[in-house]
């Protein structure tokens, strides 16, 4: 008897351990923290309550967090609307104000007063006023018998009704989004400020220190921050840009802790994570890391090799391709990390074990048990199309001639739909975009990229996923990427702006008829037709079934695994994640510490190098150890890592201490942990933050912008807790 009870208890513990994700996994909805997370967070060290984090009746932490332009996160750090985000989030804005005379990217920018702050048309900051569960209303009248299409249109109708009935002020907006694979719906009332001005940015040699070589890596030494200010109308409400606008007076702004972090400190990251897929079945994960990632990485590998070669030997090309190269390399490196991380932590095997247990609890022959098999089968069916789809998408994305041909074909189709009389307007808009593209374009680079990518594409993609016309051109050009590329680039009108303009500055009918005669456009059309018939169509035919089963599998997991706490996948809505400061051991014999210092910046310093140069002023401050109140034991902390579960979009998010004070600025993840989007593992997943003391040090000591420091509220939460030391009697 005793024996059985023990066995039973042990089994229970085992199951619980396997189903309960690590305490640091999860991107939680702020309005549900009280019921789902508060207890655990307090156990981990949180000193405030869930209602200090999210509260609709009084100012709370959430009122200091904004979606920055819809692609990053920012936080308010003064009573006058000062906003902190990453350098790479403000990069576009900084670049737009940059000229050769005022090279803010190179030398940094610091407004000395409000008048010098620079407007950025189109840049926004969005606050979340309130979050509501509207699942019941959204799904009213929706039954299982509806097709996916019918279901969606029923829901859309419901959502429109909810939106128009929502209580809000005239300057606010309402947004409703699906969660848990559209099993639940939440409504967000938001306020979007449209006058966001640039206040300060360090030189790239600080804000982008380490560039691509260090990107996604630890140890890291980047001061990845920039400062903006939110402006409002005189009534403190959102207003279009105007010189009459005044700095925003926020409901809450974050106090800044000067006490730094220690190992195992509790931390939270509050922001707008973009996209994760944590509830995929095993076959979907397999498809990603064994099919799709390798395809995308392969294409970008080949493209980057060519581009890097040119950038190294040609200064002009280096400038032209810098931004493109950075964005191509960013995802490329992330996918490599994702494949490695999943392999190393046996992600697929873990999924399989999870599924076995799910099946056991659900009953193998129950509706839920068979559902999982069907879903996995669908991903197996999808696999060849998904991989071919990625090859095609990456080919057209990375060969700019094909990208251009593709938008040209789209423009012509658009004209066909809207009528010939619209041609001049559509053409001019197309040419304007093309003109700015050609500024950062070099034919030799693109031709060499094309040659390499054609070889890869026709080798890796089966001909029955390419189609006759495209394959025929490949055969006619000797089945050789170089020959195909030469054929396209020597005769196409798409190789220069002048030629393109001449080609399009003719009567519409002629242009349309001649599309086929241009070798580049013809090649694109041939590939595109084949793709849409042989890849895209069958792919799109499977996706609705996947969506339907993925939705039911999500619900099934929530029904069957009663002990597991579920958080919805990221979808660019406000989330809180929490974890602990700490290093990690990514592989045998390698162990990483949790904090870097200015010493490491100097170790990496390479005079004149475009990634690892260090500004003179910073070297002087290092030599004199002039760190002011920001140093710690004679060192200047730079970055630190913790086990917060973050993803793209969390860049610029505040890292907060147990009291809700700002201690850092999130900007990246470690390479081995980029798989956290599909397979979070607390043992090696770490987010990377700039230590807030480094930010303040750069603002104060490096840039001399003391007036900004004076606007902020600096606090000492740890020191305040330590009992005052009595002087020993002599
Ligand atoms: N990896 C970070 C993110 O995904 C930083 C990217 C910007 N830095 C860069 N070197 N490209 O956004
Ligand atoms: N660097 C990412 C961003 O820009 C953050 C991440 O993916 O961890 O949002």
């Amino acid at each position: 008897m005793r024996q059985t009870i023990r066995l039973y208890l042990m089994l229970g513990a085992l199951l619980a351990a396997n189903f309960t994700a690590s305490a640091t996994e999860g991107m939680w909805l702020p309005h549900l923290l009280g019921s789902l997370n508060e207890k655990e967070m307090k156990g981990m060290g949180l000193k405030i309550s869930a209602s200090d984090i999210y509260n609709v009746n009084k100012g709370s932490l959430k009122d200091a967090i904004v979606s920055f332009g819809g692609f990053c996160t920012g936080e308010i750090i003064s009573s006058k609307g000062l906003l902190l985000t990453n350098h790479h989030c403000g990069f576009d804005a900084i670049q737009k104000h940059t000229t050769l005379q005022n090279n803010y990217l190179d030398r940094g920018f610091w407004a000395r007063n409000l008048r010098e702050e620079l407007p950025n048309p189109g840049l926004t900051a969005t606050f979340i006023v309130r979050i509501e569960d509207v699942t019941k209303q959204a799904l009213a009248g929706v039954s299982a018998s509806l097709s996916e299409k019918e279901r969606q249109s029923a829901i859309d109708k419901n959502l429109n009704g909810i939106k128009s009935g929502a209580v809000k002020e005239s300057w606010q907006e309402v947004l409703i989004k699906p969660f848990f694979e559209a099993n639940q719906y939440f409504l967000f009332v938001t306020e979007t400020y449209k006058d966001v001005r640039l206040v300060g940015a360090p030189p790239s040699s600080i804000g982008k220190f380490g560039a691509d070589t260090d990107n996604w890596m630890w140890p890291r030494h980047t001061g990845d921050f920039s400062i903006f200010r939110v402006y409002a109308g005189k009534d403190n409400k959102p207003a279009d840009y105007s010189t009459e606008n005044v700095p925003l007076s926020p409901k809450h702004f974050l106090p800044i802790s000067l006490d730094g972090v220690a190992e195992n400190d509790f931390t939270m990251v509050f922001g707008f994570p973009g996209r994760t897929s944590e509830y995929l079945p095993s076959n979907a994960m397999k498809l990603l890391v064994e099919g799709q990632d390798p395809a995308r990485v392969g294409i970008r590998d080949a493209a980057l090799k060519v581009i890097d070669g040119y950038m190294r030997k040609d200064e002009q090309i280096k400038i032209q391709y810098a931004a493109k190269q950075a964005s191509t390399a960013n995802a490329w490196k992330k996918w490599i990390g994702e494949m490695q991380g999943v392999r190393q932590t046996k992600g697929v095997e873990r999924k399989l074990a999870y599924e076995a247990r799910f099946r056991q609890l659900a009953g193998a022959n129950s509706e839920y048990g068979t559902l999982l098999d069907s879903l996995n089968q669908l991903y197996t069916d999808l696999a060849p199309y998904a991989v071919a789809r990625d090859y095609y998408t990456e080919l057209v994305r990375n060969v700019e001639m094909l990208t251009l041909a593709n938008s040209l074909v789209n423009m012509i189709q658009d004209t066909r739909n809207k009528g010939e009389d619209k041609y001049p307007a559509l053409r001019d808009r197309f040419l304007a975009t093309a003109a700015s593209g050609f500024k950062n374009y070099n034919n030799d680079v693109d031709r060499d990229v094309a040659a390499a990518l054609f070889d890869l594409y026709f080798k890796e993609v089966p001909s029955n996923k390419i189609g006759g016309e495209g394959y025929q051109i490949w055969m006619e050009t000797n089945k050789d990427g170089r020959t195909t590329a030469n054929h396209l680039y020597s005769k196409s009108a798409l190789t220069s702006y002048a030629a393109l303009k001449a080609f399009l500055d003719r009567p519409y009918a002629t242009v349309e008829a001649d599309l086929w005669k241009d070798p580049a456009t013809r090649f694109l059309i041939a590939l595109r037709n084949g793709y849409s018939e042989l890849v895209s169509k069958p792919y799109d035919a499977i996706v609705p079934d996947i969506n339907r089963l993925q939705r039911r599998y999500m619900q099934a997991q929530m029904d069957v695994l009663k002990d597991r706490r579920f958080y919805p996948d990221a979808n660019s809505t406000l989330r809180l994640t929490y974890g602990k400061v700490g290093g990690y051991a990514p592989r045998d014999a390698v162990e990483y510490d949790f904090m870097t210092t200015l010493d490491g910046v100097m170790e990496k310093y390479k005079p004149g190098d475009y990634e690892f140069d260090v500004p003179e002023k910073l070297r002087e401050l290092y030599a004199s150890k002039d760190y002011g109140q920001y140093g710690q034991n004679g060192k200047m902390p730079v970055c630190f890592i913790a086990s917060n579960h973050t993803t793209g979009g969390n860049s610029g998010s505040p890292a907060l201490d147990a009291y809700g004070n700002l201690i850092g600025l999130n900007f990246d993840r470690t390479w081995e942990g980029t798989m956290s989007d599909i397979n979070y593992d607390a043992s090696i997943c770490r987010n990377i933050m700039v230590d807030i003391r480094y930010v303040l040090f750069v603002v104060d000591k490096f840039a001399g912008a003391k007036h900004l420091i004076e606007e902020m509220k600096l606090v000492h939460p740890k020191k305040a807790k330590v009992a005052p030391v009595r002087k020993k009697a002599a």
Side-chain angles (χ1 to χ4, degrees):
M1 182 71 193
R2 257 235 177 100
Q3 215 45 2
T4 0
I5 291 180
R6 256 211 9 232
L7 199 78
Y8 181 78
L9 285 176
M10 261 168 60
L11 243 164
L14 230 136
L15 282 176
N18 281 318
F19 287 142
T20 320
S22 95
T24 60
E25 172 169 1
M27 303 169 167
W28 303 95
L29 282 156
H31 67 298
L32 300 178
L33 292 171
S35 55
L36 288 176
N37 310 91
E38 189 175 30
K39 206 171 140 215
E40 178 185 77
M41 290 167 79
K42 288 201 161 153
M44 289 171 69
L46 178 71
K47 299 285 186 232
I48 54 179
S49 67
S51 67
D52 296 320
I53 298 172
Y54 175 90
N55 200 317
V56 291
N57 299 316
K58 64 171 179 98
S60 55
L61 287 185
K62 76 131 170 67
D63 297 309
I65 318 297
V66 297
S67 164
F68 183 78
F71 51 87
C72 273
T73 304
E75 53 275 2
I76 306 297
I77 54 168
S78 88
S79 61
K80 288 187 272 179
L82 209 56
L83 180 155
L84 185 64
T85 189
N86 288 143
H87 186 264
H88 80 261
C89 296
F91 197 84
D92 258 9
I94 305 165
Q95 186 180 37
K96 280 194 184 119
H97 294 293
T98 291
T99 59
L100 279 179
Q101 290 75 35
N102 292 317
N103 197 331
Y104 299 145
L105 278 180
D106 259 19
R107 291 200 290 276
F109 167 77
W110 299 96
R112 282 165 300 185
N113 50 51
L114 293 181
R115 262 166 295 115
E116 286 186 1
E117 298 180 355
L118 301 170
N120 304 287
L123 188 59
T124 54
T126 300
F127 291 87
I128 304 300
V129 179
R130 175 176 100 232
I131 309 174
E132 264 173 49
D133 187 343
V134 293
T135 306
K136 264 213 184 86
Q137 303 96 295
L139 297 180
V142 173
S143 70
S145 63
L146 299 184
S147 73
E148 279 304 281
K149 226 181 176 164
E150 292 164 341
R151 180 180 198 271
Q152 197 51 54
S153 74
I155 291 175
D156 287 343
K157 227 169 104 198
N158 290 343
L159 296 190
N160 281 335
I162 304 170
K163 263 188 210 161
S164 52
V167 179
K168 67 164 195 75
E169 305 292 345
S170 59
W171 63 89
Q172 299 175 332
E173 276 115 39
V174 177
L175 176 82
I176 304 175
K177 284 208 171 184
F179 289 74
F180 293 114
E181 312 283 349
N183 283 297
Q184 297 182 20
Y185 285 80
F186 291 100
L187 172 149
F188 298 80
V189 175
T190 62
E191 277 177 6
T192 295
Y193 285 82
K194 301 177 208 82
D195 185 353
V196 180
R197 303 187 197 169
L198 178 63
V199 174
S204 293
S205 50
I206 290 177
K208 214 187 156 179
F209 183 76
D212 282 314
T213 301
D214 271 10
N215 192 21
W216 298 116
M217 303 285 264
W218 184 255
R220 193 66 158 277
H221 298 88
T222 315
D224 196 344
F225 79 95
S226 59
I227 301 179
F228 290 76
R229 190 188 301 279
V230 181
Y231 280 76
K234 292 228 164 64
D235 53 3
N236 207 36
K237 311 258 153 65
D240 288 327
Y241 171 79
S242 155
T243 50
E244 303 286 295
N245 286 349
V246 294
L248 170 78
S249 171
K251 281 200 214 102
H252 183 71
F253 67 90
L254 300 176
I256 300 175
S257 163
L258 283 177
D259 288 350
V261 293
E263 192 160 14
N264 278 322
D265 272 3
F266 175 79
T267 62
M268 313 181 267
V269 172
F270 209 177
F272 292 83
R275 219 188 117 187
T276 59
S277 310
E278 310 284 359
Y279 303 101
L280 295 174
S282 50
N283 277 1
M285 184 185 278
K286 237 176 150 155
L287 167 59
L288 249 176
V289 296
E290 288 171 19
Q292 297 182 263
D293 280 348
R296 301 184 287 200
V297 166
I299 292 264
R300 290 195 185 196
D301 246 342
L304 285 167
K305 261 192 202 109
V306 174
I307 295 170
D308 285 340
Y310 275 99
M311 282 174 77
R312 271 177 209 288
K313 62 178 194 221
D314 188 313
E315 195 61 26
Q316 169 78 7
I317 293 176
K318 196 182 105 187
I319 296 171
Q320 286 180 313
Y321 278 73
K324 280 188 277 196
Q325 194 270 355
S327 103
T328 304
N330 191 39
W332 165 79
K333 201 163 177 182
K334 189 201 141 171
W335 293 324
I336 297 175
E338 186 169 87
M339 292 189 282
Q340 288 178 357
V342 168
R343 201 179 311 129
Q344 200 177 329
T345 56
K346 303 205 177 343
V348 175
E349 289 88 332
R350 245 165 54 173
K351 280 274 184 203
L352 285 168
Y354 176 82
E355 289 171 6
R357 259 173 264 118
F358 167 84
R359 244 189 234 101
Q360 190 193 340
L361 288 183
N365 299 318
S366 71
E367 189 222 337
Y368 280 165
T370 52
L371 154 77
L372 181 55
D373 296 329
S374 315
L375 180 56
N376 267 318
Q377 182 58 46
L378 283 175
Y379 277 107
T380 308
D381 300 344
L382 188 76
Y385 304 109
V387 173
R389 183 173 183 262
D390 281 347
Y391 270 117
Y392 176 80
T393 314
E394 285 291 315
L395 177 76
V396 175
R397 179 199 183 275
N398 289 289
V399 178
E400 287 186 79
M401 164 99 92
L402 295 184
T403 316
L404 184 64
N406 195 47
S407 32
L408 172 58
V409 172
N410 287 342
M411 186 269 286
I412 296 294
Q413 262 181 1
D414 209 17
T415 310
R416 250 182 234 163
N417 295 339
K418 290 181 176 150
E420 240 185 271
D421 57 316
K422 300 285 180 315
Y423 178 65
L426 291 170
R427 174 199 57 202
D428 291 348
R429 206 177 60 192
F430 172 78
L431 279 172
T433 313
S436 67
F438 272 111
K439 279 195 196 120
N440 290 330
Y441 173 84
N442 178 295
N443 250 318
D444 295 336
V445 179
D446 202 52
R447 193 205 304 108
D448 287 1
V449 169
L453 266 46
F454 293 160
D455 279 335
L456 193 65
Y457 187 75
F458 284 93
K459 183 171 140 248
E460 295 297 335
V461 183
S463 56
N464 71 357
K465 303 257 176 319
I466 292 177
E469 291 168 63
Y471 214 79
Q472 194 185 327
I473 298 174
W474 177 241
M475 303 285 274
E476 283 165 9
T477 48
N478 300 329
K479 297 204 274 185
D480 167 58
R482 172 69 44 199
T483 316
T484 314
N486 285 343
H487 166 71
L488 303 187
Y489 286 75
S490 59
K491 298 195 193 80
S492 172
L494 271 56
T495 50
S496 76
Y497 179 74
L500 179 65
K501 185 163 167 18
F503 183 84
L504 295 179
D505 273 347
R506 298 178 302 161
Y508 173 73
T510 324
V511 173
E512 194 186 1
D514 279 0
L515 270 194
W516 267 104
K517 293 188 192 144
D518 185 276
T521 317
R522 172 157 180 245
F523 191 49
L524 182 274
I525 295 174
L527 291 178
R528 178 167 147 150
N529 286 345
Y531 165 77
S532 95
E533 198 52 38
L534 301 167
V535 178
S536 169
K537 224 188 226 168
Y539 179 93
D540 290 344
I542 301 175
V543 165
D545 287 336
I546 289 193
N547 288 345
R548 188 169 49 86
L549 289 198
Q550 196 73 62
R551 186 172 69 239
R552 286 176 58 202
Y553 178 47
M554 185 76 245
Q555 188 60 54
Q557 294 174 68
M558 295 169 96
D559 288 347
V560 169
L561 309 176
K562 295 268 186 254
D563 301 347
R564 182 173 173 185
R565 256 179 330 168
F566 288 89
Y567 60 94
D569 269 319
N571 60 356
S572 297
T573 57
L574 183 61
R575 305 293 180 89
L576 186 92
T577 153
Y578 47 92
K580 290 199 163 186
V581 173
Y584 68 113
R587 50 188 182 276
D588 193 27
V590 177
E591 222 177 306
Y592 287 123
D593 214 342
F594 66 89
M595 194 166 92
T596 60
T597 68
L598 204 52
D599 294 7
V601 173
M602 295 309 297
E603 282 169 8
K604 287 177 178 173
Y605 171 42
K606 275 192 222 154
D609 185 83
Y610 81 103
E611 295 189 299
F612 291 102
D613 205 359
V614 175
E616 191 183 343
K617 181 77 191 283
L618 189 58
R619 282 182 272 132
E620 286 169 11
L621 290 165
Y622 177 72
S624 60
K625 302 275 173 282
D626 184 6
Y627 306 145
Q629 58 181 331
Y630 313 113
Q632 175 184 320
N633 305 328
K635 304 253 186 210
M636 185 64 240
V638 173
C639 293
F640 66 98
I641 50 176
S643 55
N644 299 294
H645 187 181
T646 55
T647 189
N650 267 128
S651 277
S653 298
L656 305 163
D657 68 5
Y659 304 92
N661 301 311
L662 187 64
I663 49 173
L665 184 58
N666 184 73
F667 71 101
D668 209 2
R669 277 170 287 165
T670 57
W671 207 20
E672 302 83 358
T674 60
M675 51 127 184
S676 63
D677 289 350
I678 51 173
N679 178 48
Y680 180 86
D681 184 328
S683 70
I684 60 169
C685 289
R686 295 289 177 274
N687 69 310
I688 308 180
M689 296 149 281
V690 200
D691 194 304
I692 203 65
R693 293 170 297 177
Y694 189 52
V695 172
L696 299 183
F697 161 76
V698 170
V699 171
D700 184 342
K701 295 280 177 175
F702 176 85
K706 273 215 164 42
H707 60 288
L708 296 177
I709 305 283
E710 278 153 18
E711 255 191 82
M712 305 172 191
K713 183 177 167 191
L714 308 183
V715 296
H716 281 285
K718 283 188 182 173
K719 290 206 178 122
K721 298 288 168 293
V722 178
V725 183
R726 287 249 194 95
K727 266 201 192 130
K728 264 199 188 139

